[in-house]
Amino acid sequence: MSILLIGCQNEATNHQTKEKLTIYTSVYPIQYAVEKIGGDTIQALSVFPPGVDAHSYEPTTKTLTTLAKGDAFIYMGAGMEGFSESIADALESEEIELIELGNHEELFEENHHEDEHNHEEESNNHHHDDGHNHGDHDPHIWIDPLRMIEMSHIITEYLSQLNPRNKELYHTNYQLLKEDLSKLDLEFQETLQSKTDKQILVSHAAYGYWEVRYGITQIPINGLSSTSEPSQRDLVQIIEQAKESKLKYVIFEQNATSKVSSIIQDYIGAEALTIHNLAVLTEKDIRENMDYLLLMRHNLNVLAQATK
């Protein structure tokens, strides 16, 4: 798979002379993938403070100044981070590489191939002309372990171009990460395949890829962004659907409190569960050394409890 970093060929030499590259990322799963693939050769730092809402966070001037000193900024784009385009514009004249994963259309495709080799070939032949036209995509691809594998492969190629002398290490580490993520996917399949009622009432529509992969049906209280609230009419429909489906749980997220979700919870007498959208770690997550795999397994336990 060949990914061209425009304007990077002369700079690759400058990057690889450094002992350790500093890569800034937006959402946590990108940071996790960079850490796992880069190992000791890369320092990966998220621009998000712990616990913020990734959709509505706005960086300070200080954050931009810090970012400009890094070697690369890898972000989702695709309607995920509200600030990503403004950061890209602000840093355009700096030496930092700006890598928007949302430009990789294949990450969002409905008919996601199970066979990675086919997908890599498809990616080689795929041209991305529309740099920022991704408003219709669900950006939460990392909740699907197989899409996370694909995102990690793209990151591996970018890191190999930024730091060619460590290319072999990056590809070896990628294979190890791929094994972990494939095992996680099997755990999700085994836990959920015997369930006959897979409806879940969630505070924010971030789980569409579980619908595609594992047959989960999400009933979202808010839209794709956790900041968009439903109308009165939507509320009535959600309450009716929850009662009709005899849903016993309302699933909240780790970094967002929604008054509307609480109202619905009280109204239908449901028990609250917490799922982790993984976009941003909380201070508690950091303190307890939680990582992507541990949080996804926590999510799987919640799904096992909330489905029948």
Side-chain angles (χ1 to χ4, degrees):
M1 182 176 182
S2 170
I3 300 169
L4 180 64
L5 282 178
I6 296 162
C8 181
Q9 302 311 306
N10 298 331
E11 288 168 30
T13 314
N14 297 335
H15 289 308
Q16 65 180 312
T17 54
K18 293 185 179 183
E19 277 189 28
K20 192 178 263 199
L21 295 183
T22 301
I23 308 286
Y24 287 98
T25 71
S26 60
V27 291
Y28 166 67
I30 301 174
Q31 181 189 3
Y32 177 78
V34 172
E35 284 173 344
K36 288 291 175 187
I37 297 158
D40 293 337
T41 72
I42 283 171
Q43 180 184 28
L45 302 162
S46 172
V47 297
F48 291 131
V52 299
D53 183 341
H55 288 284
S56 56
Y57 171 73
E58 287 293 333
T60 61
T61 310
K62 188 181 174 187
T63 304
L64 289 172
T65 308
T66 307
L67 261 175
K69 294 173 187 166
D71 293 288
F73 174 46
I74 307 179
Y75 60 102
M76 185 55 63
M80 179 67 215
E81 315 97 343
F83 65 82
S84 56
E85 286 189 36
S86 58
I87 276 195
D89 292 342
L91 297 174
E92 206 168 7
S93 60
E94 305 291 340
E95 286 188 18
I96 185 171
E97 293 295 337
L98 301 171
I99 299 166
E100 182 178 358
L101 297 176
N103 278 337
H104 290 269
E105 201 74 24
E106 65 272 21
L107 288 172
F108 307 97
E109 283 167 3
E110 191 77 19
N111 301 318
H112 178 72
H113 297 291
E114 302 292 340
D115 185 302
E116 191 199 5
H117 176 68
N118 288 348
H119 222 96
E120 286 174 23
E121 280 181 8
E122 187 179 299
S123 180
N124 280 342
N125 301 321
H126 204 101
H127 298 286
H128 305 294
D129 299 316
D130 58 335
H132 298 289
N133 186 23
H134 300 288
D136 295 335
H137 288 317
D138 175 356
H140 308 91
I141 54 172
W142 56 83
I143 64 150
D144 174 356
L146 296 187
R147 286 176 201 267
M148 182 71 171
I149 289 174
E150 189 151 359
M151 184 176 91
S152 299
H153 186 269
I154 290 167
I155 288 170
T156 302
E157 294 300 318
Y158 277 130
L159 295 182
S160 298
Q161 290 182 29
L162 284 169
N163 198 0
R165 70 177 178 180
N166 285 311
K167 184 176 179 178
E168 267 185 53
L169 170 72
Y170 297 157
H171 280 265
T172 301
N173 287 347
Y174 162 70
Q175 289 301 329
L176 295 171
L177 177 57
K178 182 182 173 185
E179 283 172 28
D180 285 343
L181 294 169
S182 299
K183 188 180 170 198
L184 181 67
D185 169 58
L186 282 175
E187 288 172 32
F188 267 75
Q189 285 184 48
E190 286 164 8
T191 302
L192 297 171
Q193 65 190 3
S194 61
K195 301 281 190 172
T196 53
D197 186 352
K198 300 184 192 178
Q199 292 185 99
I200 57 172
L201 184 61
V202 292
S203 58
H204 156 218
Y207 309 101
Y209 295 113
W210 284 345
E211 295 186 308
V212 175
R213 183 74 63 208
Y214 307 115
I216 293 288
T217 300
Q218 64 172 347
I219 303 169
I221 297 169
N222 294 325
L224 274 179
S225 165
S226 52
T227 53
S228 63
E229 301 251 308
S231 67
Q232 196 68 35
R233 190 175 171 186
D234 292 337
L235 271 178
V236 171
Q237 283 182 337
I238 291 162
I239 289 167
E240 281 175 1
Q241 191 167 353
K243 282 185 161 181
E244 196 180 309
S245 307
K246 298 184 170 65
L247 296 176
K248 296 177 183 172
Y249 301 97
V250 179
I251 301 176
F252 296 92
E253 293 184 342
Q254 85 288 357
N255 66 337
T257 53
S258 164
K259 283 184 204 164
V260 178
S261 300
S262 301
I263 291 165
I264 290 173
Q265 185 196 333
D266 292 343
Y267 201 92
I268 64 174
E271 188 183 325
L273 295 174
T274 303
I275 221 162
H276 204 299
N277 59 34
L278 287 119
V280 181
L281 294 181
T282 65
E283 286 179 356
K284 184 172 179 275
D285 296 331
I286 295 163
R287 212 168 42 242
E288 294 177 358
N289 291 319
M290 297 298 280
D291 67 7
Y292 174 87
L293 291 174
L294 291 170
L295 291 168
M296 282 290 280
R297 289 192 170 106
H298 156 80
N299 286 346
L300 182 54
N301 289 337
V302 172
L303 287 177
Q305 185 179 345
T307 54
K308 301 165 195 169

